[in-house]
Amino acid sequence: MAADLDEAAGTLLAVWEAARERTTSRLSGAQLRAVMVVEQYDGINLRRLATLTDMLLSSASRLCDRLVAAGMLEREPGRYDRREISLHLTPTATRLLAELRADRRHRLDRILAGMSAEGRAALLRGMREFDEAARQGEAVVADGWPVLQPSGERIGEPGEAAPGETPPGGEPPVARTA
């Protein structure tokens, strides 16, 4: 089953890669990953970004230098420790990610239009079940990579609860975000 899914997922990955190439041609894969992590964890510090992207701290620092120079990230002194730097997306980066998602969705719409209504419904049902199983079966971070939501919704990380879950030692949230 895993091999069949891997083969079938090739088209989906090709759609995502084509959208990335068209929309974010001025960013490398590592830069795009970093921008997406900063989107999910607004105000993240450099050390945590390096951990979540599986980079050395020095490499993550150079990557952020390039993203700041490209107008994608802003650095800000930390709220509690001014020696710590918080990273935030610029409006340019936010627009770029929105364009990337719009392009991906457009490409997916064209492919989905060629499927039957039953096939589309089954695919959506299966993907939702797959997503739920992945969230329940493992920590939200797998192999050091955060699970990225297409909406930019923050999911969590080791030691934190995912949306709708009770944080370790904490009170359950009032409502789950969709």
Side-chain angles (χ1 to χ4, degrees):
M1 177 66 170
D4 291 338
L5 180 59
D6 183 51
E7 190 174 314
T11 301
L12 181 59
L13 294 173
V15 166
W16 282 349
E17 183 60 21
R20 189 194 74 77
E21 288 281 329
R22 183 181 163 279
T23 310
T24 62
S25 59
R26 55 189 181 179
L27 294 182
S28 70
Q31 289 172 326
L32 179 60
R33 244 183 347 267
V35 166
M36 293 177 88
V37 169
V38 172
E39 178 187 41
Q40 286 197 304
Y41 303 98
D42 185 54
I44 191 171
N45 66 28
L46 191 57
R47 183 172 306 283
R48 193 161 158 223
L49 177 66
T51 299
L52 290 174
T53 56
D54 198 28
M55 298 176 114
L56 296 172
L57 185 58
S58 59
S59 298
S61 180
R62 286 190 301 275
L63 181 99
C64 285
D65 288 343
R66 289 189 298 275
L67 288 169
V68 168
M72 297 289 157
L73 290 183
E74 294 175 341
R75 288 186 173 122
E76 174 181 280
R79 290 183 183 159
Y80 305 108
D81 182 352
R82 298 195 61 81
R83 293 172 295 173
E84 187 174 89
I85 301 298
S86 298
L87 300 169
H88 305 277
L89 293 185
T90 63
T92 301
T94 301
R95 278 191 305 276
L96 181 100
L97 291 175
E99 289 171 16
L100 172 65
R101 290 182 180 109
D103 190 23
R104 271 195 327 227
R105 289 173 183 162
H106 174 74
R107 291 168 187 270
L108 289 171
D109 280 341
R110 288 193 339 228
I111 295 169
L112 292 169
M115 295 176 64
S116 69
E118 296 83 17
R120 287 190 305 268
L123 176 63
L124 181 57
R125 224 179 11 262
M127 290 303 296
R128 284 182 174 158
E129 188 175 331
F130 180 89
D131 182 56
E132 189 64 31
R135 290 172 192 250
Q136 290 178 4
E138 294 188 20
V140 177
V141 175
D143 296 330
W145 292 80
V147 177
L148 300 175
Q149 287 291 88
S151 65
E153 168 191 339
R154 180 176 174 172
I155 300 176
E157 60 189 88
E160 287 187 2
E165 296 177 356
T166 303
E171 294 295 318
V174 175
R176 182 177 177 143
T177 59

